[in-house]
Amino acid sequence: MAENKNFSVYNVGSFAELADKEIDGAKGRIMLGHLLGLTGCEISINSRKAGEAVPFVHHHKMNEEVYMILSGSGIFHIDGEEFPVGEGDMIRVAPAGMRSIKAIEPLVYVCIQAHDGSLAQATQLDGVITKDKTSWM
Ligand code: ZN
C-alpha cells in the first residue's frame, strides 16, 4: 500500500487459484480492506468451486452488503428464501438479512460491505471534474 499517495493497488491474482487459497481462515476469500487501506467500506473477492458454499448463515449488526456476481452460477439464501444467481446479478442485503451462498458452477463474486444508511451523497454529486489531462486525452 502506498501510504503517501492518493491511491493503493493490490492484485488478487487468478480467481480460479483464489478458490484453493485459505486466507485468514477463510477459503476462497480475500478481504481488501487492510490490503488497500479502505476507510468507508470492506470489500471481499470470493471464488468458490462448483458445489462449495459458505458453511454458515449470517447477518450483520450495522452493515449492508452488496453481492456482485461476476461469473458462474449459484444459489443465494436470504431469510429462508432461495433463488438462483449468475453473472451480472447484484444483490443488496440489509443488515438483518440472514444470508448464505452456494456455488453450482465455479462462482466468482465481490461482496461490498458498508455501514447501512451512511451514504451522504451519490457519486455524481461527489465527483469533481478537473482540468487535468491523461495520456489519452
Ligand atoms: Zn457478511
Side-chain angles (χ1 to χ4, degrees):
M1 182 172 26
E3 303 281 343
N4 60 343
K5 294 186 175 183
N6 286 320
F7 66 93
S8 52
V9 176
Y10 183 82
N11 186 306
V12 301
S14 155
F15 294 141
E17 289 176 17
L18 176 61
D20 285 323
K21 292 182 185 170
E22 185 164 326
I23 302 162
D24 297 332
K27 188 164 182 270
R29 182 186 73 187
I30 188 164
M31 307 297 285
L32 298 182
H34 66 287
L35 296 170
L36 292 176
L38 302 179
T39 64
C41 65
E42 176 62 277
I43 300 174
S44 65
I45 310 298
N46 303 266
S47 180
R48 305 204 181 275
K49 292 181 173 180
E52 289 185 345
V54 172
F56 51 81
V57 173
H58 78 288
H59 71 92
H60 280 261
K61 296 174 187 170
M62 59 180 66
N63 295 341
E64 67 180 2
E65 288 183 321
V66 176
Y67 289 77
M68 308 169 73
I69 311 298
L70 302 185
S71 67
S73 67
I75 302 171
F76 209 95
H77 173 108
I78 305 176
D79 295 338
E81 187 175 334
E82 295 186 346
F83 53 90
V85 293
E87 182 178 329
D89 283 330
M90 306 290 146
I91 306 114
R92 184 259 176 184
V93 185
M98 306 290 275
R99 71 209 73 174
S100 194
I101 188 169
K102 177 180 181 175
I104 300 298
E105 298 174 303
L107 185 66
V108 177
Y109 62 96
V110 173
C111 183
I112 299 173
Q113 195 182 127
H115 192 186
D116 192 42
S118 66
L119 187 62
Q121 56 188 344
T123 299
Q124 279 189 317
L125 298 174
D126 193 56
V128 179
I129 296 174
T130 71
K131 295 188 183 317
D132 285 10
K133 298 294 180 194
T134 67
S135 64
W136 60 85
M137 290 178 179

